[in-house]
């Protein structure tokens, strides 16, 4: 087996491998060409340093990358994909050995479907332990959805270019109350949320209390289901919580999706969200349809 950084001409093969892993693990593909291009061109990503693909007999059988947070010591988010017909017990140790060398210090965090027994077992054999779960939730929009009820003094509008920095600041502030603080700079955030094909300001909803931004819902068309809308980020700042604003923003997003003729709404959520996000989505009628398990262990040099 040969481990190396990807080249430009590996793009299609990497995308195919990622979706083959996703289809085998979750029952659906999840990575678009736009997603992969956005990741590869992220300002802090160095392809030669941060990404590896594993070849066997000239065929791509696995992929791994690293993306550290800014904690000290850091947590390294490691996206690992394994071809469905590859031997995970042989492939995963090769990738993890590289992850250990690349990270040098801190903790490695990997993830896949909870039911992906072959890959989960391969990680477990290397000392990884499950630490949390993330859900993908959905709701069918083939029936009328409840109209949002806005708290007193709140108005809602779409975002404009002039709002981007204020929205980023609100995202950073709101995510301080979650299990994973948001530490990307404005430029990094904009790269993922604005400078990509799926950016749609008509699906960005800002809730305001006078001149103050109270909450936000940043939405787009679902990456892999063109008949669905995706709620990418939804948050309410502390002074306006527990007034129904989060639910109102969610329902407004559902309305917008229906107005576009989309049949379904989806989003991702930390299963152990300390802000109670999962309960909010369940009250709105959403259900879990996909479960991702996160596994961690300390870096071993």
């Amino acid at each position: 087996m040969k481990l190396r950084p990807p080249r430009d001409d590996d793009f299609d093969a990497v995308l195919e491998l990622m979706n083959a892993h996703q289809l085998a693990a979750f029952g659906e593909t999840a990575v678009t060409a736009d997603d992969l291009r956005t990741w590869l061109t992220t300002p802090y990503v160095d392809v030669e340093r941060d990404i590896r693909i594993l070849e066997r007999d000239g065929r791509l059988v696995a992929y791994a990358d690293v993306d550290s947070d800014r904690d000290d010591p850091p947590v390294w988010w490691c996206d690992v994909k394994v071809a469905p017909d590859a031997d995970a017990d042989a492939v995963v140790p090769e990738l993890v050995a590289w992850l250990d060398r690349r990270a040098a210090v801190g903790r490695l965090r990997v993830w896949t479907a909870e039911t992906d027994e072959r890959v989960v077992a391969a990680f477990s054999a290397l000392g990884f332990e499950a630490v949390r779960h993330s859900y993908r939730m959905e709701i069918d929009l083939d029936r009328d959805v409840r109209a949002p009820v806005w708290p007193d003094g709140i108005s809602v509008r779409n975002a404009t270019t002039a709002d981007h920095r204020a929205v980023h600041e609100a995202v950073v502030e709101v995510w301080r109350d979650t299990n994973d603080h948001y530490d990307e700079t404005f430029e990094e955030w904009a790269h993922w949320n604005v400078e990509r094909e799926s950016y749609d300001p008509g699906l960005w909803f800002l809730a305001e209390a006078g001149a103050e931004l109270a909450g936000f819902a940043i939405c787009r068309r679902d990456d892999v289901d063109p008949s669905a809308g995706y709620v990418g980020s939804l948050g309410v700042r502390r002074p306006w919580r527990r007034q129904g604003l989060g639910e109102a923003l969610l329902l407004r997003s559902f309305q917008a999706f229906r107005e576009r003729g989309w049949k379904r709404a989806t989003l991702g959520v930390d299963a152990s969200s300390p802000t109670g996000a999962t309960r909010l989505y369940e009250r709105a009628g959403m259900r879990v349809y996909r479960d991702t398990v996160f596994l961690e262990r300390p870096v071993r040099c």
Side-chain angles (χ1 to χ4, degrees), residues 112-165:
T112 189
E114 183 185 32
T115 54
D116 187 6
E117 295 180 359
R118 70 186 187 110
V119 175
V120 170
F123 283 125
S124 298
L126 297 172
F128 286 82
E129 297 181 349
V131 293
R132 54 196 274 205
H133 289 254
S134 174
Y135 295 149
R136 198 70 181 259
M137 301 183 72
E138 66 180 351
I139 185 172
D140 296 324
L141 301 177
D142 52 357
R143 297 179 298 176
D144 288 340
V145 297
R146 286 187 288 122
V149 177
W150 302 102
D152 291 342
I154 294 292
S155 61
V156 64
R157 63 175 175 85
N158 293 122
T160 69
T161 302
D163 296 307
H164 289 165
R165 286 192 177 273

Side-chain angles (χ1 to χ4, degrees), residues 71-136:
D71 289 343
D72 185 19
V75 172
W76 297 83
W77 293 74
C78 308
D79 193 1
V80 175
K81 298 288 189 288
V82 180
D85 58 350
D87 181 357
D89 291 332
V91 166
V92 170
E94 291 281 338
L95 299 174
V96 170
W98 173 74
L99 293 171
D100 280 328
R101 294 192 300 272
R102 168 65 187 91
V105 65
R107 298 185 64 82
L108 302 180
R109 177 178 294 171
V110 298
W111 62 91
T112 189
E114 183 185 32
T115 54
D116 187 6
E117 295 180 359
R118 70 186 187 110
V119 175
V120 170
F123 283 125
S124 298
L126 297 172
F128 286 82
E129 297 181 349
V131 293
R132 54 196 274 205
H133 289 254
S134 174
Y135 295 149
R136 198 70 181 259

Side-chain angles (χ1 to χ4, degrees), residues 12 26 30 42 45 57 60 82 99 107 113 117 133 141 195 198 203 206-207 215 221 236 255:
D12 290 342
F26 293 102
T42 298
V45 172
D57 299 327
L60 180 58
V82 180
L99 293 171
R107 298 185 64 82
E117 295 180 359
H133 289 254
L141 301 177
E195 301 163 1
S198 58
L203 292 176
L206 305 186
R221 186 191 290 267
V236 176
Q255 278 187 334

Side-chain angles (χ1 to χ4, degrees), residues 230-284:
Y230 179 70
V231 183
S233 297
L234 187 148
V236 176
R237 296 174 65 201
R238 284 184 181 179
W240 294 277
R241 290 178 189 167
R242 302 188 183 280
Q243 301 177 38
L245 181 54
E247 182 176 50
L249 283 164
L250 185 65
L251 295 175
R252 178 64 187 95
S253 302
F254 293 168
Q255 278 187 334
F257 298 162
R258 275 181 55 86
E259 290 164 3
R260 297 194 177 202
W262 298 343
K263 306 300 183 184
R264 179 170 162 259
T266 68
L267 54 75
V269 61
D270 179 358
S272 55
S273 167
T275 60
T278 304
R279 295 190 298 276
L280 164 65
Y281 303 146
E282 289 173 338
R283 287 199 304 272

